[in-house]
Amino acid sequence: MSKSSLKIAIAGLGTVGGGTVQLLHDQAQLLAARAGRPLTLVGAAALEKPTGLPLDGVPFFTDARVMARDCDYDVLVELIGGAGGIALDVVRTALERGRSVVTANKAMIAHHGTELAQIAEAKGGTIGFEASVGGGIPIIKSLREGLAANRVTKVMGILNGTCNYILTTMRESGRDFADVLAEAQKLGYAEADPTFDIDGIDTAHKLAILVSLAFSAPIDLDGVSCEGIRHVSALDIRYADELGYRIKLLGVAAQTDTGIEARVYPAMVPLSFPLAHVSGPFNAIVTEGDFVGRTVLEGRGAGARPTASAVVADLMDLALGRTIPTFGVPVAALKAQPAAASGAHRSAYYIRLMVKDQPGVFADIAAALRDEQVSMEQVIQRGRAPEETVPVVMTVHETVESSMLRAVERLKALGSVADLQLIRIENL
Ligand SMILES: NC(=O)c1ccc[n+]([C@@H]2O[C@H](COP(=O)([O-])OP(=O)(O)OC[C@H]3O[C@@H](n4cnc5c(N)ncnc54)[C@H](O)[C@@H]3O)[C@@H](O)[C@H]2O)c1
Ligand SMILES: N[C@@H](CCO)C(=O)O
Ligand code: NA
């Protein structure tokens, strides 16, 4: 006896929605064979009906709210975007109707995930959000299922394809930031508002989701500190190369004795580091678990086809009746934890100072570092330009963050220092 099809309504037909419609069409036979039932589109909504997508015979809606409310579907796929607004409305409507939801919307999950999981639990639906973190990389499934036997102690990753594309292309081509960002937008990697990418907000959304899954805690976006890549200059990228590092925007979360540490920041990573060679729009995530040790997952973090691959993986779980609580455990079992004590983090650092080229400057810099017990490792200063500022670049040994920040204040207060750039050096 053949099973009934999984009825899918899709809201949003842009980069990811278009890719998803195409995948459901191109792989229809393979999906039906694996799921034991067809996956059928019963509705599609967007501001305008795109041409060139295989949507013949699929009812089209310009109002996604109407589709969410009236259409007869098993699962609503939300690919509109935005933390609230229409995306949240259609998702709430579907869940309230006892239907399931699949979404790529990390902003919405990071802001409203716990509340939505509660509705899903109460009404008998589920929420799939594999596409929301790491694009096509199965990191949600990995944390929620594959690593379920472990206490996870650390999750660290390159989680934003746009930033990684910008940093990689700037390094390889010497092109400037704005030019490369425009290219990432054209390729469909960037968010509708690309400041979400470059200011680290998108990475923070994704890290908040990973923290919840890894440490069984309710989503806490406010608990993620966030620094983007706007201030990373071509000069720093060149010095990183010379010193044997790559600059990467990282999301890093760890379980510490005092609570959860969750941070987004650009860091220099040594070439031997598992994330150093991850380039272009690729993402990668390193996890550490108490029994499994380290695992590393790498793949395409953005773009139509990889992201559609993750959306449809969630649809396959639904078609097969494989369901699991949204964050791995029922909402009532999620336990909030305090944020780790600030300033206690230890790491090495890269410092670039723009200084006036005059006698005594270096002694002042050395004294500022000495006074805060910060120990220098390498120093690069070359060129001579008595009328201008010149770069002095240093790396310092592992030091407590609070000492490093006090030393930075001392350095900034020196009359000879015109500018200062501080970048963490990350190691595992
Ligand atoms: N682009 C990527 O590589 C990527 C990867 C992972 C996750 N995501 C996420 O996927 C989601 C979609 O991103 P995208 O890049 O496909 O966006 P997009 O801008 O390419 O597409 C958005 C779609 O939503 C539709 N839409 C917008 N407002 C609407 C409204 N009021 N009513 C009905 N439809 C409306 C648009 O017509 C369009 O079809 C976002 O949450 C994004 O963060 C994107
Ligand atoms: N704007 C996001 C899309 C994938 O989530 C990125 O560049 O990674
Ligand atoms: Na994913």
Side-chain angles (χ1 to χ4, degrees), residues 306-349:
T307 313
S309 162
V311 169
V312 177
D314 282 340
L315 291 174
M316 289 296 279
D317 274 349
L318 284 167
L320 284 157
R322 288 194 297 235
T323 60
I324 204 157
T326 306
F327 297 105
V329 297
V331 172
L334 295 170
K335 283 204 183 63
Q337 288 194 48
S342 75
H345 187 89
R346 292 182 67 83
S347 82
Y349 289 89

Side-chain angles (χ1 to χ4, degrees), residues 129-141 285 300 310:
F129 50 103
E130 184 58 79
S132 70
V133 184
I137 303 171
I139 182 60
I140 305 296
K141 205 179 221 349
I285 301 111
R300 287 188 165 80

Side-chain angles (χ1 to χ4, degrees), residues 211-212 215-220 255 260 329-338:
V211 164
S212 177
F215 307 127
S216 296
I219 289 260
D220 177 21
Q255 178 76 67
I260 294 175
V329 297
V331 172
L334 295 170
K335 283 204 183 63
Q337 288 194 48

Side-chain angles (χ1 to χ4, degrees), residues 106 131-132 135 159-163 189-191 197 202 206 283 301-302:
K106 51 270 164 151
S132 70
L159 300 173
N160 185 270
T162 302
C163 286
Y189 304 147
E191 293 304 299
D197 296 297
D202 178 72
K206 292 165 175 167
N283 284 189

Side-chain angles (χ1 to χ4, degrees), residues 12-16 46-47 64 79-81 86 104-106 131 188 191 302-303 307:
L13 298 168
T15 302
V16 185
L47 291 177
L79 301 170
I80 293 174
I86 182 141
N105 189 337
K106 51 270 164 151
E191 293 304 299
T307 313

Side-chain angles (χ1 to χ4, degrees), residues 47 73 75 80 94 161 176 191 198 205 211 256 276 321 327 339 360 365 428:
L47 291 177
Y73 53 84
V75 51
I80 293 174
D176 74 36
E191 293 304 299
I198 60 187
H205 289 151
V211 164
T256 74
F327 297 105
I365 294 170
L428 279 164

